[in-house]
Amino acid sequence: LILTLILFLETTEGSSAGGVFLGYCWDARDPIGCDPRNFVDGNHLKCSSAHGPMSWAGRPVYSSTFSLRTGIGPKSQDLTIYRPGEWMDIYLTVENYSQKYRGLALHAYNRNQSHIGLWNTTDSAFQFNRKWVSPEPGCIMHAQGDLKPLRTRFRFQAPPVGTGDITFQALIKVGPANDGWFYYPNGLHENLEGKVPPDGFPGDGVDLLLTEGPVRTLPWTQGNAGQSCDSVCASIGKQCDEEAMQTPLASSPGGIQANLNAVEFSLPFAASCDGISPAKDVDGSSWYNAANLNDDIATTVCNSLNEVKTKTQCGSSHPNARRFCACS
């Protein structure tokens, strides 16, 4: 399975807003751009021999300025496996402020080259819709050409058991419309702004590779909008564990993020004192239940929210809430 970050293509006339919606995902290894040696007198609008479309941008090269990893701490602590069906983090980081990118997309291939898995970010629905689009299942692309953050935390739901190894690749566009450069992350050298690798394109780099890990039976799952946790757990032949949902795991953003690999969430988590929390609403906001904290803290938080202090309840539901449920 190859997971590919790709550019959201611009029109050949260019666009300062970022591009035109294609309805499909560009393959990161398809020819694109222009060999910098073929820019006539350095003019990006004049490429004597294009490598592919978007000939005003330099053809892709591996660069150490960009990293694609499963973590942000020491590399020795990065995950090297994925768990089938579970959500996991993929981080795209820019190591040089002057190289913030504008064009980006993300999609996954299995061995038959079909898109697979689900993608999201930890943005709220409002922020997501401002920055990203999903033209087809298994694909995420930028929606406009604004500069993107130095680090983006993507959420990927791994494919089913039997998929095999996963290789991540990336194509990143730096620079305004009708100009700029393409890059692959995880390069061994910087190779910035027209640098031609000594041994030819695309230079030296190491793509992110994950192996398939064993399937885990997780105690937490996520329901559909309007379902109670009683209903969610019953649908998988289990019972709702109200005691587990009233632990600190359900009462702090850090606890939820660290343990709820089976659910999709956005950041930041907001406090709630409603019995349906923890949950994610249909607008993309995520909530933890502060009423489950110790009495003094819970009373203070719930009073500040002007909400009745109600611990997480198995039977609670709301038409706009996708509940995080502990089942046993």
Side-chain angles (χ1 to χ4, degrees), residues 123-125 265-270 279-287 320 324:
D123 292 320
S124 67
F265 58 79
S266 58
L267 297 177
F269 276 88
K280 181 177 181 180
D281 66 28
V282 294
D283 294 325
S285 299
S286 295
W287 307 86
N320 294 330
F324 304 158

Side-chain angles (χ1 to χ4, degrees), residues 32-39 47 49-51 55 57-59 196 201:
I32 194 168
C34 179
D35 186 320
R37 295 167 292 190
N38 294 333
F39 288 132
C47 178
S49 179
H51 180 63
S55 59
R59 65 180 291 186
V196 177
F201 287 93

Side-chain angles (χ1 to χ4, degrees), residues 20-327:
V20 60
F21 177 67
L22 295 176
Y24 63 90
C25 292
W26 182 266
D27 191 290
R29 295 301 173 176
D30 280 353
I32 194 168
C34 179
D35 186 320
R37 295 167 292 190
N38 294 333
F39 288 132
V40 179
D41 297 326
N43 187 344
H44 279 230
L45 296 181
K46 295 181 179 180
C47 178
S48 62
S49 179
H51 180 63
M54 292 189 70
S55 59
W56 54 81
R59 65 180 291 186
V61 62
Y62 277 105
S63 175
S64 59
T65 298
F66 309 93
S67 67
L68 188 66
R69 298 172 49 195
T70 59
I72 56 176
K75 288 186 178 180
S76 61
Q77 297 178 7
D78 284 6
L79 292 175
T80 58
I81 67 170
Y82 70 91
R83 302 278 188 171
E86 293 188 25
W87 288 90
M88 64 182 301
D89 294 326
I90 303 293
Y91 295 91
L92 178 62
T93 302
V94 183
E95 308 290 350
N96 184 330
Y97 187 86
S98 68
Q99 299 299 315
K100 293 178 74 173
Y101 63 92
R102 297 176 184 269
L104 174 66
L106 177 64
H107 70 101
Y109 288 107
N110 66 12
R111 284 168 292 190
N112 296 320
Q113 301 298 299
S114 60
H115 292 168
I116 193 168
L118 295 177
W119 287 95
N120 209 330
T121 69
T122 53
D123 292 320
S124 67
F126 173 74
Q127 291 294 332
F128 180 91
N129 292 331
R130 286 185 65 248
K131 292 187 290 189
W132 313 103
V133 294
S134 295
E136 59 184 41
C139 175
I140 188 170
M141 290 181 167
H142 78 274
Q144 36 78 351
D146 292 350
L147 292 173
K148 302 305 184 289
L150 290 172
R151 175 174 292 140
T152 299
R153 179 183 180 182
F154 292 99
R155 294 283 288 169
F156 175 70
Q157 187 177 33
V161 64
T163 299
D165 290 351
I166 296 176
T167 301
F168 294 78
Q169 297 177 329
L171 178 65
I172 301 161
K173 167 63 164 45
V174 175
N178 300 330
D179 203 345
W181 312 93
F182 289 114
Y183 297 104
Y184 301 134
N186 299 348
L188 302 185
H189 310 284
E190 278 195 335
N191 292 333
L192 293 177
E193 299 181 352
K195 173 72 173 180
V196 177
D199 296 328
F201 287 93
D204 297 322
V206 180
D207 294 325
L208 174 62
L209 173 68
L210 300 181
T211 58
E212 181 177 334
V215 177
R216 294 190 295 188
T217 300
L218 299 174
W220 289 80
T221 189
Q222 187 169 21
N224 296 319
Q227 281 188 296
S228 69
C229 283
D230 280 333
S231 174
V232 172
C233 295
S235 70
I236 57 175
K238 297 183 178 182
Q239 292 185 331
C240 175
D241 188 341
E242 195 166 86
E243 182 177 352
M245 293 195 297
Q246 293 178 359
T247 65
L249 174 62
S251 310
S252 69
I256 294 175
Q257 291 183 61
N259 293 281
L260 301 193
N261 293 337
V263 303
E264 176 193 8
F265 58 79
S266 58
L267 297 177
F269 276 88
S272 169
C273 292
D274 193 293
I276 63 170
S277 299
K280 181 177 181 180
D281 66 28
V282 294
D283 294 325
S285 299
S286 295
W287 307 86
Y288 70 94
N289 195 329
N292 296 331
L293 301 171
N294 70 62
D295 286 342
D296 290 342
I297 296 176
T299 299
T300 299
V301 174
C302 295
N303 286 345
S304 70
L305 296 173
N306 197 27
E307 294 182 5
V308 176
K309 186 170 64 175
T310 307
K311 291 188 175 184
T312 302
Q313 305 295 319
C314 285
S316 297
S317 64
H318 190 282
N320 294 330
R322 297 187 62 200
R323 297 197 60 189
F324 304 158
C325 304
C327 304

